[in-house]
Structure formats: C-alpha cells, structure tokens
Amino acid sequence: MRTSQYLLSTLKEDPKEAAVESHRLMLRAGIIRQIASGIYTWLPTGMRVLSKVNQIVREEMDKTGALEIAMPMVQPADLWRESGRYVKYGPELCRFKDRKQNEFALGPTHEEVVTDIARREIKSARQLPMCLYQIQNKFRDEIRPRFGVMRGREFLMKDAYSFDTSVEGTMVTYQKMYDAYSRVFTRMGLEFRPVEADTGSIGGNHSHEFQALADVGEDTIAWSDGSNYAANIEMAEAVAPSYDREAPGEAYSEAETPKCHTVDEAANYLHMDANKVLKSLIVHGEKDENGKNTLVMICLCGNQTLNEVKAVHIPGIADPLEMATEEEIGEFTGAHTGSLGPVGFKGRILVDRTADKMSNFACGANKTGYHLINVNWDRDVPNYEVFDLRNVEEGDPSPDGKGTLHLRNGIEVGQVFMLGTKYSEAMKATVKDENGKDIPMVMGCYGIGVTRAIAAVIEQHHDDRGIIWPENIAPFKVAIVAIKPTKSEQVKAVAEKLYEDLQNAGVEVLYDDRDERPGVMFADMELIGIPHIITIGEKSLKDGVIEYKLRKTQEKSTIAVDNALNEILAKLEK
Ligand code: ATP
Ligand code: MG
C-alpha cells in the first residue's frame, strides 16, 4: 500500500475527548472515528487490525470444532419474552417497532436467537455436542459509553453457544473454549488472567472472565501470590476472620457527632480509627404487601467497602441492588443517612463477617448528629444475620488458604459461562435421548469483546510515540519511508524495488511515498505502530545501505541494499 493512495487519517493533535491512552491513540492513528456516542467507524488501518484479530478468533474457534453462523442483529421481542428477559434486561436493550408495529430489539447478546435455532435444527442427542459461533456487532445502550471502543454501544463480539446432553459434557466444551480463549489472547499479545466471575444477567452458575491487565481497567481482580487463585473482586471471598471477638466493655452511650456524614468524619470527630466505627448502609429488600420497599441495613467495618454482587446474592435483597433514598431512610429511622446504626433498627440487619468481629465500636445512633460508642453485637443488637458482604482488600488471605491476595485492574476481554438449562427450559429446546425422552439441552455461552480487546492491546503496547502493535495483528508489518524521492532517482528506484519485492514475498508493507518532511513520515509510521521501519535516503545509499528500525525497542541498524529483502524477511516474526 502506498500512503499516497491510502486513507492514513492520522491526527497531529491529541483529541480532547480521549481520557485513556488507547482511545487517544486509536483516534490519532486513524483507527476509529466516532459517529455518535459509543458508535464508531473503523477506518482502513483499524480494519486491517480488526480483520487479523477476527482471523485469529476464527482459527481458534474452528480448532475447537465450533461451527460459524451469522445471526441477525434485529431480534423479535417475542423471543426475549419467551426467555423472560425482555423486561428484565433493562434499558441497555434497545427496543423498537417496525412499520407494522411488531416489536424488536437490537441484539446485545444472542442466547434467545441461538436457542431458537437449536430447538428447530437439533433433534437428537446424537447430534450433540454442538457449538455455534459468530463474529458480529452487538448493541447495548450503555448508560456511560466511554474510553472509545472499550465501552461502546455498538461493538464487535465473537459469541459462541454450546449445546450438550449433560453438565459434564458442557464442562468439556467449556474447558475447550477456555483453552481457545487463552490461545486467542496470547496470539494477540495480551497479558491477561482468567478469573472466576459472577454470571450477571446472562445467568448460569459457573463462569470465568479473561481480564487484560491494565491500570485503566474498570474491573478489579484479586489474585493470590501463593497459588493460581484469581477472581473478579465481585466474586472473591473475604475469608472470615479467625480471631475471636473481644468481650464487651462498658454499656454504650451517646456521643455528639454534629455534621458528620461519613465514617471518616465521625471517626475523626470521635478520635477513633475508622475500623472502630461501623458503616451502616440501607438498601431495598423485598416489597411489602402494599408494594412498598422494605429496608434492610448492611453493616460493614468502617474502612471497608460493600460488595454489591455478594449483597444481591442474599435472598430477599433487591436485584439489581438499590440504595434506599434519603426520604425512605428519614421516614423509617427518623435520622440522616450519616447517623445510622443497628441499635434499635426495626428491619433486617445484615452484618459482614469482619464487622461481626468488632466489639466496643461506634455506630450511628439513628438520631441526626449523634453516634453511639461502646456498642456490641448480641448485647446491644440481638437480631442480625452474618454474611460475607465486603470487598477483599490487598493483604487479605487467599480464599484457597494459599498465599495473600493482591489487587489489580483488568479490562474484561472475554467471558465463558456454564449456562445450564436456563434458556433451553424456558424456550423448550429439547432433544430426544436414547429412550426417546425429551430432555432440555445443557448450554454454555462464550464471548470475546473483539473491539475492546484491540483497545486493551493498545493499552498494554504503546509508548509516547504511539502504538506498538504485536506483529501478529499489526496493520502492516513493514513501513518504507523514502526521503525526498522526487529529488533522487536512486532513492525512488530503491524504494520502489523494495516495495515490490516485499509485496511479492507476501509481506504487508506500507510505502510512504508522500514526499513529506522525513520527521512527519517517521512520526506517522511510529504512531500507527508498524513493527519494522525502513528508511531509504540518499546519504546512506552512498554507503550501499538503508536504515532499519525496530519499532518496539527503537533499535537501529543498517541493511545492505543488495540483500535488503532477505535481511528484512529474517527480521519478521514467523
Ligand atoms: P461489562 O461487564 O464490561 O459491561 P459484560 O460482562 O456485560 O461486560 P458480556 O456479556 O460478558 O459483557 O460480553 C462478552 C464480552 O463483550 C465482554 O467480555 C467484553 O469484552 C465485551 N463487551 C461487553 N460490553 C461491551 C461494550 N459496551 N463495549 C465493548 N465491548 C463490550
Ligand atoms: Mg462479562
């Protein structure tokens, strides 16, 4: 490809809207352009990367025996009603009507459509196991699209769905997919970790996320330094403390804490450590007979944080989690949200296992501007339930008993789920077993965020000059920069010849023939992140050489013109 005939679309200035490096570089390197919030066009350079990643994904899926299909993005609402998700999926599902008033949704995922295919096309248990996949655009009306394609509204996903007669059989496919995902992300050059994960709105009971490690990642993962344990913080168990609670001291008493709205403010005012102050939050429980929200108090150690996923897994807690409003709290307790506590609270009280070990602690008095000090469980709060409710912290023991937990941020680039029969039962996707009996198929589903994974690669592979593509997915392998070819016949001839030779050798090469200032051309080739950069200039040609630079390390060397093709080929990764 010649730059003179290409849509390079690089930007000199940093776009203001980009908050993370990958987004900034994807715009500057001419990879993507936004057309509406969370909706992007992939320009030619981006498309070249995207095609390579799709190819890797396709190869690895095909290796598992999965079969490629293409399902529509537009999905009938009735299918979603059958699975029970039409309403439950919430505002991320983009719903619309056609001219005949038929209701549809834009597919955010394809469990419903694929289960419908399976129930119509798969008749016998003998056809199983079977796995169907596609690489296709999804639409999710994300509340906060951000970081470019990292959290878009329309984005490319590889989604696969497996069908089997048993849970054991599905576990085999699950493991194959898990292994295939590891190969995909390795081939993309990502540093990643598979972690235990929550199943969220997809449902099911066993799941792993593939997390690309990056500071900008929106997920937090907890990993042990003494074993392979790694989990999304949403799932990571905070091990119950092994020590006993200290014995209660003197009776509790009231202390003034004017204008203290947070644990820290109260702790400061009371000259106590935050871990001696109880954090009391109020969330919605079940609705009462009048359809009104019941209120449930959650108590945590003051310096720890609530794990919302753990909370919604407790029966009787509203899912998704809803914090009670100030009005509801005021009406129920008579106090401001900053002065809440379990003593005398007339609702259900859930206490975290670490908070359960607190004694002689301070907590809100359910009276605005006051706390109680020297409060103790049982003695002062007779009725409460104890659960694991907090997020793990750096230094907590690993739940598998081996090592200590550490936290890192991750970008979720893929997820595999054991679905079970949730969809096949709801939508009656059955096969006949050997006795002629109808049994629901056992399903798994497996997603890769293709466009997000590309952003994750850039997060991990860039420097202040631009992107440093892993060679496998680089838009071009080699860049040729010709210095003033209009002024030197020799430069032009050598560049043209090398360009032709590389193309004939099947190497993807971008030939910068723009006759721009050298600095401008180098900057562009480095910004785009082409792994091998060749410079052809009159001066070095006098010595019979051309210049070579490895983008990744910026190492420079010279190559004899006569043997240029072979030397360059030798430098390419196989
Ligand atoms: P998240 O928690 O980040 O919203 P998710 O768990 O809802 O993602 P899945 O349903 O597991 O997403 O979808 C499979 C994959 O699709 C994810 O692992 C992720 O890589 C990608 N993905 C999900 N939502 C988006 C999005 N808004 N933009 C880009 N990629 C996305
Ligand atoms: Mg997910």
Side-chain angles (χ1 to χ4, degrees), residues 257-263 265 280-282 297 324-341 345 363-371:
T257 47
K259 299 203 182 72
C260 294
H261 296 326
T262 64
V263 165
E265 286 166 359
S280 307
L281 310 165
I282 301 191
M297 180 174 279
T325 64
E326 235 169 89
E327 293 72 53
E328 287 173 320
I329 292 171
E331 195 186 311
F332 195 72
T333 66
H336 180 270
T337 47
S339 304
L340 301 174
F345 182 75
C363 62
N366 295 324
K367 180 172 161 190
T368 303
Y370 288 88
H371 272 66

Side-chain angles (χ1 to χ4, degrees), residues 477-478 480 496-509 563-574:
K477 294 229 192 293
V478 177
I480 300 175
E496 291 284 339
K497 167 96 177 26
L498 184 60
Y499 175 54
E500 205 182 304
D501 287 351
L502 282 166
Q503 280 192 310
N504 289 340
V507 177
E508 290 169 293
V509 47
N563 196 26
L565 178 64
N566 288 334
E567 285 204 39
I568 294 168
L569 291 180
K571 289 182 189 293
L572 304 185
E573 281 174 17
K574 291 293 162 303

Side-chain angles (χ1 to χ4, degrees), residues 189-202:
L190 278 172
E191 190 193 349
F192 67 94
R193 287 233 177 199
V195 305
E196 291 173 23
D198 182 47
T199 50
S201 71
I202 302 267

Side-chain angles (χ1 to χ4, degrees), residues 11-30 32-33 147-148 458-459 462-467 527:
L11 305 177
K12 288 204 177 54
E13 303 296 326
D14 276 339
K16 278 189 218 57
E17 69 266 34
V20 297
E21 279 298 281
S22 56
H23 187 195
R24 182 177 77 83
L25 289 171
M26 286 177 100
L27 292 169
R28 279 204 57 203
I32 54 166
R33 287 293 181 267
F147 302 160
I458 300 174
E459 275 310 323
H462 69 266
D463 61 13
D464 51 10
R465 294 162 194 258
I467 303 171
L527 174 61

Side-chain angles (χ1 to χ4, degrees), residues 108 134-136 138 140 155-159 447-450:
Q134 62 173 353
I135 302 176
Q136 192 229 29
K138 299 283 180 271
R140 295 183 182 180
F155 59 95
L156 191 62
M157 196 201 285
K158 186 288 303 176
D159 43 333
I448 290 181
V450 177

Side-chain angles (χ1 to χ4, degrees), residues 140 198 209 412 414-415 417:
R140 295 183 182 180
D198 182 47
E209 285 164 354
E412 182 198 323
Q415 187 163 11
F417 297 85

